[in-house]
Amino acid sequence: FSQIKEFHHGDIIKGFFLCKNINCKLTRLGDQYIDLFLEDSSGTIRAKIWSNVDYYKEKIDFIYPVAIKGKVILYNDNLEIDILFIKSINNMLYDKYGFNESLLFKYSNKTMLKKSSQLNSYIKLLTGQYKKITKKIISDYSDKILIIPSNHKKYKYRGGFLIQLINLLYLNSKIYKIYSLDLNKIVVGLIFKNIGLLEYYEDDINFSISNNNKIKGCKIISNDILNKYSSKNYAEIIIFLRNIIIDDECKGENIYGNYINNIYKLDSAINIS
């Protein structure tokens, strides 16, 4: 079985994928076809079903992975798949043919749950109101944190947001003691710097972005999320976090903003995720 990154024009492929953005469309002549995107742990590719459309409409489900046979073609200078066979995998039938969750996701659900536990271990290091507000927000968005991608190209895959956070927090744990900085501020700054991504994406399947969210941008949405948790108890922390979210420059008098931005830049410069 081949993965998307290995596809070449003319290949006849068999593989397991996630279905994304399935649409039934009509050709200029009024014939039905299915337009969809397929994803595995190596990438995403467009695909189309031209034959037996009514039959296959009943065989595809967002909930389950799919088994596919098809031909790789070139359309408008991009690789696509003409699907010859497709079926949802909703039992263990395909296990004997090599189906494994690791083919679909860069990181398995089990791994992501471990990463979530790691995030909670960093949150436990916080004290007072810093711990309370962080636990509250992370708990409220616990499901999304496991799956959304980051906005950085190195982590732009399912679960990338959490993977990036863990890498940032681990990197910080190795160097913060060198400086006389408040660990509470560093940890919440790293966690909430791009918290707007939790509401930036419109869905949990293909992570599409509405025009409204594109216009608002992640920073404004981050502030919108903070506004939901604004209270007298958290007033000082909210002001601090707003400054961290806005500040993308590693200069000036914002010491914590400079430190946090540099941790992000250091992680981005290392091409290992």
Side-chain angles (χ1 to χ4, degrees), residues 33 39 43 65 72 103 108 110 135 177 186 192-193 205 240 247 260-261:
Y33 70 97
E39 180 183 50
V72 181
L103 296 171
S108 68
K110 185 177 180 179
K135 285 180 67 176
K177 291 182 180 178
I186 295 171
F192 291 105
K193 176 71 176 175
I205 297 172
F240 168 76
D247 187 5
I260 289 164
N261 287 332

Side-chain angles (χ1 to χ4, degrees), residues 163-269:
I163 298 295
Q164 183 183 29
L165 271 188
I166 297 304
N167 288 349
L168 292 166
L169 291 165
Y170 177 77
L171 183 58
N172 171 68
S173 72
K174 297 301 179 182
I175 61 176
Y176 85 92
K177 291 182 180 178
I178 300 172
Y179 310 99
S180 299
L181 296 174
D182 186 336
L183 181 61
N184 282 317
K185 290 184 176 181
I186 295 171
V187 171
V188 298
L190 289 170
I191 291 174
F192 291 105
K193 176 71 176 175
N194 292 315
I195 200 70
L197 291 173
L198 295 173
E199 292 189 359
Y200 188 58
Y201 300 105
E202 289 294 294
D203 60 76
D204 298 339
I205 297 172
N206 55 9
F207 304 110
S208 59
I209 306 165
S210 68
N211 289 331
N212 184 51
N213 280 357
K214 287 178 182 178
I215 292 169
K216 289 179 74 173
C218 186
K219 293 182 188 297
I220 292 177
I221 297 174
S222 294
N223 278 305
D224 289 345
I225 291 175
L226 291 180
N227 287 338
K228 296 179 183 179
Y229 299 88
S230 184
S231 71
K232 290 183 180 179
N233 292 333
Y234 303 138
E236 186 177 328
I237 300 173
I238 295 291
I239 292 171
F240 168 76
L241 289 174
R242 283 175 179 155
N243 287 327
I244 294 298
I245 290 165
I246 293 170
D247 187 5
D248 280 333
E249 300 296 326
C250 297
K251 58 185 179 181
E253 298 180 359
N254 187 347
I255 296 173
Y256 287 97
N258 294 342
Y259 179 88
I260 289 164
N261 287 332
N262 276 307
I263 293 289
Y264 267 85
K265 287 189 174 184
L266 177 57
D267 177 64
S268 296

Side-chain angles (χ1 to χ4, degrees), residues 29-45:
L29 298 176
D31 297 321
Q32 273 196 106
Y33 70 97
I34 300 175
D35 183 33
L36 64 155
F37 283 85
L38 302 174
E39 180 183 50
D40 64 17
S41 61
S42 71
T44 304
I45 191 169

